[in-house]
Amino acid sequence: MSEGTQPARINAGQIAGGQFRYYDYVMAAFCVILVLSNVVGAAKVATLGGLTFGAGILFFPLSYVIGDVLTEIYGYARARRVIWAGFGATVFAAVMCWVIVIMPPAPGWQGQDVYEAAFGQVWRIVGASVIAFWAGEFVNSYVLARMKIATGGRHLWSRTIGSTVVGQGIDSLIFYPLAFLGVWSTEQVVMVMVTNWGLKVLWEVVLTPVTYAVVGFLKRREGVDVYDEGTDFTPFRTKV
């Protein structure tokens, strides 16, 4: 459309629905889980039953499960769009946290120290998370898409677990040193990094029946089963 040209007027009913019925909902779930896991859960270290881990581990792996579902159902290109949407949502969350923390507190309000303790490290955490998430999620999606072609669409469990082993490994290897070296001891960083990677993979294994159910449901309802043959796997674009 050239400059000064008015957009065409159309009836809303002409664009209602779209090609896929559930793609937008899956995207929204992915972004919500990603943002909350990074802003709320990433900075807390918990110990349960003698096992020390980052509290965000309870929910963050769900983003990888959803990433698997996106690639399996809609293909790498549409998963790529969602990854970039999650990237933008996380950056916005970091900016919002930073602005809120630096705003001068009202006289008599006693919550500033709490906010600074909870969100003061968000920039470092989110910076590390964005880099790690970007690399790990794209590796996860790429491995799953390639494995789907190699297996002819069989053995979904091998693709979801195999891609998680590689993708979450990249994610953890990048995130924990960038986010916490100098804040935690090196020993604690390594321990939490390895533990969390193992727990993320375990989560994927435990949730495999759920993944099968969701994938089966969406394939039936959407009526598609995308294979990424001839797909351009560059992460640096959003075009489908």
Side-chain angles (χ1 to χ4, degrees), residues 15-159:
I15 58 172
Q19 182 177 355
F20 297 114
R21 300 172 64 181
Y22 296 97
Y23 176 73
D24 292 342
Y25 296 109
V26 179
M27 175 187 285
F30 180 89
C31 292
V32 168
I33 292 170
L34 180 67
V35 169
L36 292 180
S37 296
N38 283 296
V39 174
V40 179
K44 181 171 180 177
V45 181
T47 299
L48 186 63
L51 186 66
T52 301
F53 56 92
I57 189 66
L58 295 176
F59 299 98
F60 178 71
L62 293 175
S63 67
Y64 271 75
V65 173
I66 295 174
D68 289 343
V69 170
L70 280 163
T71 305
E72 177 69 21
I73 303 299
Y74 303 105
Y76 177 88
R78 286 185 172 82
R80 178 172 54 199
R81 290 175 66 89
V82 175
I83 293 170
W84 279 112
F87 177 94
T90 305
V91 171
F92 175 80
V95 172
M96 180 176 174
C97 289
W98 174 71
V99 170
I100 290 175
V101 167
I102 67 170
M103 290 179 67
W109 186 68
Q110 304 299 319
Q112 183 65 19
D113 291 342
V114 176
Y115 262 77
E116 289 179 359
F119 302 111
Q121 295 183 8
V122 164
W123 270 110
R124 179 174 178 178
I125 291 171
V126 171
S129 176
V130 164
I131 296 170
F133 154 78
W134 186 88
E137 193 66 55
F138 274 119
V139 168
N140 180 81
S141 185
Y142 174 82
V143 170
L144 190 144
R146 287 297 197 186
M147 288 184 68
K148 184 173 184 179
I149 296 172
T151 61
R154 300 182 299 274
H155 311 306
L156 174 61
W157 62 270
S158 69
R159 301 196 295 280

Side-chain angles (χ1 to χ4, degrees), residues 140-221:
N140 180 81
S141 185
Y142 174 82
V143 170
L144 190 144
R146 287 297 197 186
M147 288 184 68
K148 184 173 184 179
I149 296 172
T151 61
R154 300 182 299 274
H155 311 306
L156 174 61
W157 62 270
S158 69
R159 301 196 295 280
T160 59
I161 297 173
S163 63
T164 298
V165 168
V166 181
Q168 289 282 16
I170 296 297
D171 186 293
S172 297
L173 190 63
I174 294 173
F175 173 71
Y176 287 99
L178 287 180
F180 298 115
L181 273 180
V183 179
W184 302 346
S185 68
T186 301
E187 180 182 354
Q188 189 175 31
V189 169
V190 173
M191 180 178 61
V192 173
M193 179 177 66
V194 174
T195 301
N196 278 16
W197 173 74
L199 288 173
K200 290 170 185 177
V201 175
L202 179 60
W203 254 120
E204 182 70 53
V205 174
V206 170
L207 291 173
T208 294
V210 177
T211 304
Y212 266 80
V214 172
V215 166
F217 170 81
L218 288 175
K219 282 184 179 180
R220 291 191 300 270
R221 299 303 295 268

